[in-house]
Amino acid sequence: MTSVTMTTSIPGTPSHPTTTTGPVLRPESAPVPTRPSPHSETGGWLRERLLLPLAIEHAKSKRLWILATLALALAALNVANGTGRYLSYTESFQAQGITWQVVWGQGGLLWSVFFLPMLITFRAAGLTRMEHEHDNWRRMATYGAATTTYTGKLALVALFALYCQTAFLLLVLAASTALGFHLTFTDLATMITWVLLGTLGAVTIATAQLLIGIYVPSLATTVLTGLGASFLSLAITLVVPPLTSIYPYSQATLGMQARTLSTPSPAGLAWFLIWNGILIAATVLLSRRGLRRKQY
């Protein structure tokens, strides 16, 4: 406790010192403002920049179950094709010791070359077309929300690609079990690796389709462009296989090893990861540039 002397003065009267006793708040005892932790800042950024736009784009999507059902049906059709191929030449494949690879290769080739890119084309075209209505892209670009919206759409298409690949993987596992194949841990690890690499290739296709959808307002033109690129991927795979390593719409096939059915070499894997990273980064930058230009 510290004694403090205070002087009060009333005009026309002498001053009288007044002594009060009480605690004195020193500067060092003042409350210190706390800074938010890095974890809270990271969580806030993640929620604002990714999770919230993703939730908004999901809410804006209509009749998504139709496309999800179509994806499941097409994956089942391709796996059934691989299963039928194995049943037609069972003795030959058994003599060579080939089991689930037949189902994967025969089912995954057409799936990754054409059907998966087609599904991604439909999903990306629908997400971009809705923003061309009533000039929404330009309106969002004016107040700086276009790039955040694009991030939500890209995340949504990437999750859709992962859903398609997961459905294909589970169907291959179900068919392999039904055929009596003994799957080792190495087999499962190989399948999962190929699915993840194929999903990365599918994201490359998704960024290309979103880029087309941003610049092309017509839904029909966007879809036809994606289908044409998928047909070209099929032609390149059959006629000029070496070009599949650089063609964007062939990256899902390359990642799933649908043609080679072999573990990629370290150099091949490094090239695949680097090239897909370059393609994704380039298309994302071009998309963001196009969205920024829409405000002018």
Side-chain angles (χ1 to χ4, degrees), residues 77-235:
L77 180 64
N78 282 272
V79 172
N81 177 48
T83 303
R85 182 73 174 178
Y86 179 83
L87 292 175
S88 299
Y89 302 94
T90 302
E91 294 182 0
S92 176
F93 289 128
Q94 286 181 346
Q96 301 176 56
I98 302 175
T99 55
W100 63 269
Q101 294 89 345
V102 178
V103 180
W104 185 277
Q106 295 296 321
L109 184 59
L110 196 58
W111 163 258
S112 60
V113 170
F114 181 72
F115 289 111
L116 180 59
M118 180 190 71
L119 291 166
I120 293 174
T121 294
F122 290 156
R123 188 72 181 109
L127 288 173
T128 52
R129 178 65 186 95
M130 70 171 65
E131 307 303 349
H132 285 290
E133 298 177 355
H134 310 295
D135 209 14
N136 287 343
W137 279 127
R138 187 177 302 277
R139 184 178 296 107
M140 288 186 295
T142 302
Y143 55 82
T147 54
T148 303
T149 301
Y150 168 79
T151 301
K153 294 182 185 299
L154 177 57
L156 199 60
V157 181
L159 288 177
F160 177 71
L162 181 60
Y163 160 78
C164 293
Q165 291 289 81
T166 302
F168 180 82
L169 172 63
L170 294 178
L171 288 168
V172 169
L173 290 175
S176 299
T177 303
L179 292 171
F181 298 153
H182 175 67
L183 299 177
T184 65
F185 177 79
T186 302
D187 295 332
L188 295 176
T190 300
M191 289 185 187
I192 294 173
T193 301
W194 289 356
V195 159
L196 293 178
L197 292 176
T199 302
L200 177 61
V203 173
T204 299
I205 299 173
T207 57
Q209 277 304 129
L210 288 174
L211 175 63
I212 296 171
I214 289 172
Y215 281 92
V216 180
S218 171
L219 176 65
T221 303
T222 303
V223 171
L224 288 176
T225 302
L227 294 180
S230 300
F231 274 117
L232 182 58
S233 174
L234 178 60

Side-chain angles (χ1 to χ4, degrees), residues 63-74 119 160 163-164 167:
R63 294 183 291 275
L64 178 58
W65 65 271
I66 297 178
L67 195 57
T69 304
L70 177 62
L72 185 61
L74 291 175
L119 291 166
F160 177 71
Y163 160 78
C164 293

Side-chain angles (χ1 to χ4, degrees), residues 9-28:
S9 176
I10 301 176
T13 61
S15 299
H16 299 283
T18 303
T19 302
T20 60
T21 303
V24 175
L25 185 64
R26 293 181 172 85
E28 59 270 17

